[in-house]
DNA sequence: CTGTTAGCGCTTTCAT
DNA sequence: ATGAAAGCGCTAACAG
């Protein structure tokens, strides 16, 4: 039932003024050492706790930062958030989570809500590229709240981002399939209006070209990031005149679905069909038929995003630093694309 | 570069007082309809946004709730958080995330930090049972901030919790192994000072007893929730005079490790050795040797915790409602414990 | 129906 | 080195 102790309470007790208490508590240089100690002691004895809300109102800074992700229950986003939280914790920032469920309307709402809540910064992965919510982004920028994109970015002048080199990710995964001797490599792509998927696709295409393999449009299937979508893709691909002998999937889940469907059809992986995925979800490593996948170092991405935010905050708003950090993807080669016969 | 618009700005413009503006904005009944409309219009035209920090200071409510979990990058906790966020979003609450990394000291810190930040409630899964941080919990209770435990709970009078029936979970998993004809069933347990692990163990034990199987202490191995720990457990168990022919593991990761090690030793699963895990991590379903596991319905657990919080908040603090919600575990029977031969 | 006033808890000029 | 007073933006009790 402890009542709230304010600086007034401790001022009264010491027959001094609240201003002095405030100064003592904030290590203001022009305060007598003896009073400072006295204040500190009584503050401790009275179990005083600073009221952050008052501080926030006064200063206009909430010490909260907002993180917007499509959903939190995916290993990738959860790991990014973990990285963000770990990096920001020592700096006294709290992390507020918002999910869009891939819904741009929800994304706008979240942006407005976070601004309303006076967050000191927003770190986000965009859910879709549409122009509906441009005003929401404009709103953030007008308020001069640092905005940082991670993974799924959007081109906005003056906005920093932390991404991986998706082009390279697509390239190295495809190259590895080529190295295994695969000739007809299909690609399961996500929504190509999102840069990450566009770039993975472009990397895939470039790898083919660089290795003298003709690009075949029919081999590119746009599909969701789900096991089911992967199965369906196989259904379609195997109907083609020349069915593919490998798949590079932008999604581990779709890659898994593909593998399941291929097994169903008694097609031998990896000897007759190689598969590579993207994201390095935990299960890719756990499977008996472990899945080759491109790692995006989500923890590092989160940490880096947080660091970029920390650099940005406190900077006088006259200097707009646009920082584009691009992390290197790392290919984890596993059974699904490691042929025993050479 | 939009400056902050306050109710004073819009009051000045209309030659009325801020109080009237406030009332109009808050749909106070005793306000002339015409003025209300006028205020609303000009507010909109001036792009007025309520300052939540001022509101928070005034009301003492931040509209934030804190969630403390050991770590966020596990499917279980991420899903719980998802559930919490979804349930609380329509009520205007923001979710602040804290991770303890299973460190009780960090847990205390998080509790203090959240209270400092004036959260309106704390939902948490405890990281370990130790009495070091009792004062942190006491602090929360003294401040009359609703505290709700989920999954990993702690016995504190007046504190509500949402858990699953771990005893039953352990029981039904073990029973299923017995039904498969397993006679010597081992158990990989977590830290039994945590109730969840204690109860899963007790359920396991009871299932043995109820089915006339003698409980053997040597079959119980305390291990971490990791693949490595599962492998090590097999090393130990197979050295026993009478090695077991099944494992019920409190962790899916350890179950996976066990399976990997058994395969390594060419022991046939499930015909010669059955395995069941706990948590229903996504990978258990994805494996070719899919793993039987107990589902904890994390999404529902999160939603329920949020609902319990909503019931609790706003209640006059004279009435302390202690609510214990216990969800039913659900066994997902998969290949790892489904013998083909009967 | 609306204005006046005070106050949430803290920081920060301006005096002294 | 300390006090007095104003103000961050909002709400609510009290008047009228």
């Amino acid at each position: 039932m402890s009542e709230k102790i304010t600086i007034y309470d401790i001022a009264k007790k010491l027959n001094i003024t609240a201003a002095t208490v405030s100064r003592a508590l904030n290590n203001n240089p022009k305060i007598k050492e003896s009073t400072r100690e006295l204040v500190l002691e009584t503050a401790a004895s009275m179990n005083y706790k600073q009221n952050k809300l008052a501080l926030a109102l006064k200063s206009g800074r909430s010490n909260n930062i907002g993180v917007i992700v499509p959903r939190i229950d995916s290993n990738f986003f959860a790991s990014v958030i973990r990285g963000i939280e770990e990096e920001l914790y020592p700096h006294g920032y709290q992390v507020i989570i918002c999910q869009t469920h891939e819904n741009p309307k929800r994304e706008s709402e979240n942006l407005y809500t976070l601004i309303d809540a006076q967050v000191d910064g927003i770190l986000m992965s965009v859910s879709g590229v549409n122009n509906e919510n441009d005003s929401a982004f404009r709103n953030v920028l007008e308020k001069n709240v640092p905005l940082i994109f991670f993974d799924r970015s959007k081109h906005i002048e003056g906005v920093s981002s932390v991404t991986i080199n998706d082009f390279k990710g697509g390239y190295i995964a495809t190259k590895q399939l080529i190295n295994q001797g695969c000739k007809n490599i299909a690609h399961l792509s996500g929504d190509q209006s999102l840069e990450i998927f566009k770039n993975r696709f472009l990397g895939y295409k470039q790898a083919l070209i660089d290795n003298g393999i003709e690009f075949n449009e029919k081999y590119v299937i746009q599909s969701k990031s789900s096991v089911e979508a992967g199965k369906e893709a196989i259904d379609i691909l195997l109907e083609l005149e020349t069915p593919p002998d490998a798949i590079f999937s932008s999604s581990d889940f779709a890659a898994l679905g593909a593998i399941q469907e291929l097994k169903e059809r008694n097609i031998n992986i990896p000897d007759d069909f190689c598969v590579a995925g993207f994201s390095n979800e935990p299960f890719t490593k756990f499977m008996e038929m472990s899945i080759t996948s491109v790692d995006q170092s989500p923890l590092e991405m989160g940490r880096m995003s947080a660091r970029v935010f920390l650099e940005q905050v406190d900077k006088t708003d006259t200097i707009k630093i646009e920082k584009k950090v691009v992390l290197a993807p790392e290919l984890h080669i596993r059974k699904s694309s490691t042929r025993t016969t050479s």
Side-chain angles (χ1 to χ4, degrees), chain A residues 234-251:
Chain A
I234 290 293
D235 288 342
I236 297 169
L237 289 169
L238 294 190
E239 290 296 318
L240 294 178
E241 248 181 306
T242 317
D245 58 1
I247 279 184
F248 160 53
S249 169
S250 272
S251 149

Side-chain angles (χ1 to χ4, degrees), chain A residues 67-73 77 81 97-111 114 122-128 133 137 150 152 194:
Chain A
V67 174
I68 305 179
V69 289
R71 64 192 164 288
I72 190 187
D73 58 341
F77 289 120
I81 293 170
I97 298 293
C98 295
Q99 301 180 90
T100 68
H101 300 284
E102 305 278 5
N103 179 347
K105 188 155 162 291
R106 190 71 178 263
E107 185 168 275
S108 297
E109 278 178 36
N110 286 332
L111 284 168
L114 288 174
I122 296 179
L123 278 53
M124 73 180 295
S125 212
V126 308
S127 283
N133 51 17
F137 284 106
F150 59 82
R152 302 177 178 193
L194 281 170

